[in-house]
Amino acid sequence: MEHENNSYLSFTQTVDRAAELLGLERSAYEFVKYPERELIVSIPVEMDDGTVAIYKGYRVQHSSLLGPYKGGVRFHESVNHDEMKALAGVMTLKCALANLPFGGAKGGVTVDPSKLSKNELKRLTRRYTAMILPIIGPDEDIPAPDINTNEEIMGWIMDTYSMMRGHAVPGIVTGKPQQLGGSLVRTEATGRGVSYILQETLKRLKLEDERCTAAVLGFGKVGREVAHRLFEEGIRVVALGDATGAVRSGKGLNIPAITAHVESGRKICDYQEVGTEHITNDELIASECTILIPCATSDRIHAGNAESVKAQIVIEGGNAQITSEADVILEKKECMVIPDLVATLGGVIVSYFERVQNVQSLMWDEFEINRMLKSIILKAYDEVWEVSRKNAVPMRMGAYLIALERVCTAKRIRGIFP
Ligand code: GLU
């Protein structure tokens, strides 16, 4: 790869800078740079043709200071140990920022799931679950969906865990199917949170919806929900892309038609419509638009393409989309960056709702969930906005200042065992 994956380095460097601004002693914050526990597993999977393939899997538990470890499981070719460490740390800080009673974790398997049959994917998921089973649990570590994992996969994890325990344990995962105790809105939650943040930003900057244009990179659970909501709200999506390629249209893309095209099993790079041209992902990043929303795998905006960004606002709709070098470049260009710590909070907030509903046997409706989601995410955003203004730092640093301070205070109060 031309630009090496450095999200763990970005994470630790940002923690160091935030600690310096907070005036924290090394001993008061250094623990945040290291995960508490890391498990690497090799997962043998019997393929449909009878051969056996071995995949590498991870579960990194960053912090259990404020509650059970919490974080998604991703299935992607780019999954690696350092990225898992960074994303687990980001989860700890995200939960602290939203005041959720969780720690942080991340899991994943290095695999391209599009190359597996449904049965191979199921066997991979079950074996991965069995191998991380000693360290997960409904009060210990609660996995959730992430890139290329969905409610069906969460259902398989729940079943595997329950079979090994001898009784049903719905609370082992969040993001499970509703029939097993999943919450409404969980699938759309991260994208919905991004769109609340976007609306609030336009309001604060006094930008009118009709004049704004957006470019969205990534068309998974988050990108789809974001593009759909932008379209509904009358904000033109002028560029949209995923790993297969991207499309552009100055008058605004037909999002429902592209969604139908992709949902029928076809690729964005094969989408045809008069007035819509094909572009590369780097051209998408360099699009003339008001808001750029990357919601894909890590490190999409890096030192090699940050200079080309023309958007006034970048919203990190996926975790770790921007490297620290790119952050510096965007800051110099006076581009406003709304960081993952706050922008992607929707997913874990609704995971928290799912846990509360499971524990208390509650069933909240969509209206109630949207209302509470909006209230929690906008409160976190407002705090980040204020702290970054007060300290004259970009919002990423503002978010780290708040979250790091909370985590370090909790550590100080709890003390070091023994
Ligand atoms: N994978 C999501 C994230 O990165 C959600 C995690 C969760 O719900 O636990 O925020």
Side-chain angles (χ1 to χ4, degrees):
M1 205 161 90
E2 190 191 343
H3 300 280
E4 83 181 42
N5 180 338
N6 57 11
S7 39
Y8 181 57
L9 195 63
S10 295
F11 171 75
T12 54
Q13 285 172 346
T14 316
V15 168
D16 278 331
R17 279 203 305 277
E20 200 184 314
L21 281 175
L22 288 168
L24 293 171
E25 296 280 326
R26 199 172 57 82
S27 61
Y29 84 91
E30 205 179 18
F31 71 95
V32 180
K33 289 163 62 177
Y34 306 101
E36 287 173 8
R37 192 184 285 135
E38 299 166 64
L39 181 61
I40 303 179
V41 295
S42 11
I43 310 159
V45 179
E46 193 172 331
M47 308 307 273
D48 293 342
D49 65 4
T51 59
V52 175
I54 314 273
Y55 297 95
K56 201 162 189 181
Y58 305 87
R59 185 70 184 170
V60 173
Q61 300 179 326
H62 178 265
S63 169
S64 59
L65 193 54
L66 288 161
Y69 299 103
K70 187 83 192 83
V73 171
R74 71 171 55 176
F75 289 169
H76 198 275
E77 293 173 291
S78 65
V79 163
N80 64 72
H81 191 178
D82 266 0
E83 182 196 40
M84 291 287 109
K85 284 160 69 177
L87 296 176
V90 164
M91 280 310 304
T92 299
L93 299 182
K94 274 161 69 166
C95 293
L97 182 62
N99 283 312
L100 303 177
F102 291 135
K106 201 71 165 196
V109 178
T110 314
V111 59
D112 176 357
S114 70
K115 298 219 170 84
L116 302 185
S117 72
K118 181 89 165 246
N119 278 325
E120 288 166 345
L121 184 64
K122 197 193 291 186
R123 288 194 289 273
L124 172 81
T125 305
R126 287 183 174 285
R127 183 62 186 247
Y128 168 71
T129 308
M131 299 199 71
I132 63 164
L133 195 120
I135 63 165
I136 60 171
D139 292 315
E140 287 84 26
D141 181 355
I142 309 161
D146 199 90
I147 293 174
N148 290 335
T149 54
N150 56 17
E151 50 175 59
E152 186 175 37
I153 292 175
M154 294 306 115
W156 295 334
I157 296 181
M158 180 265 180
D159 183 68
T160 306
Y161 188 88
S162 301
M163 284 297 111
M164 310 286 258
R165 286 283 176 257
H167 57 95
V169 190
I172 182 60
V173 282
T174 55
K176 53 194 168 281
Q178 271 172 53
Q179 296 85 341
L180 300 179
S183 175
L184 290 174
V185 189
R186 178 61 190 82
T187 307
E188 304 81 17
T190 310
R192 210 159 279 188
V194 170
S195 82
Y196 292 148
I197 295 269
L198 172 68
Q199 282 299 347
E200 182 65 21
T201 309
L202 298 186
K203 207 164 87 192
R204 288 181 180 216
L205 299 180
K206 300 194 172 48
L207 293 169
E208 288 165 34
D209 286 11
E210 311 79 62
R211 288 174 182 241
C212 293
T213 53
V216 179
L217 179 62
F219 204 53
K221 293 182 286 287
V222 183
R224 240 174 257 197
E225 176 69 12
V226 170
H228 167 78
R229 291 187 68 99
L230 288 168
F231 184 83
E232 296 282 298
E233 285 154 12
I235 298 176
R236 272 178 298 145
V237 180
V238 291
L240 175 71
D242 67 5
T244 72
V247 282
R248 172 161 67 195
S249 163
K251 62 178 177 35
L253 293 161
N254 184 346
I255 301 301
I258 299 175
T259 307
H261 173 86
V262 171
E263 280 174 359
S264 73
R266 287 168 294 170
K267 296 179 174 143
I268 290 194
C269 62
D270 298 328
Y271 181 78
Q272 299 293 346
E273 194 183 327
V274 181
T276 298
E277 54 169 338
H278 288 267
I279 54 170
T280 63
N281 279 340
D282 269 335
E283 285 169 325
L284 182 150
I285 285 167
S287 295
E288 290 284 355
C289 60
T290 325
I291 314 140
L292 171 63
I293 312 172
C295 22
T297 47
S298 307
D299 302 330
R300 291 304 92 203
I301 303 182
H302 46 70
N305 62 13
E307 201 59 66
S308 74
V309 170
K310 297 187 190 68
Q312 198 177 326
I313 307 161
V314 181
I315 305 184
E316 230 180 351
N319 294 302
Q321 303 288 293
I322 306 174
T323 65
S324 27
E325 293 94 335
D327 255 343
V328 174
I329 298 171
L330 293 176
E331 194 188 342
K332 280 205 194 106
K333 289 165 70 81
E334 293 184 15
C335 172
M336 174 189 245
V337 172
I338 306 178
D340 52 359
L341 239 57
V342 60
T344 67
L345 270 177
V348 72
I349 291 173
V350 178
S351 277
Y352 162 68
F353 297 160
E354 184 166 324
R355 179 170 163 85
V356 173
Q357 292 173 92
N358 288 165
V359 171
Q360 304 193 26
S361 305
L362 293 169
M363 268 167 55
W364 289 327
D365 63 20
E366 182 162 353
F367 179 82
E368 188 61 6
I369 294 174
N370 284 338
R371 186 190 65 75
M372 293 188 296
L373 165 60
K374 192 169 182 178
S375 140
I376 297 179
I377 200 167
L378 290 188
K379 180 169 179 284
Y381 185 35
D382 186 54
E383 286 172 355
V384 170
W385 183 283
E386 288 305 322
V387 167
S388 64
R389 290 275 166 300
K390 215 184 277 161
N391 293 278
V393 292
M395 278 198 262
R396 185 182 313 283
M397 186 48 67
Y400 269 73
L401 289 176
I402 299 169
L404 189 66
E405 214 258 328
R406 284 185 189 154
V407 169
C408 293
T409 303
K411 185 75 173 178
R412 201 184 63 238
I413 296 170
R414 280 186 61 164
I416 307 264
F417 174 85

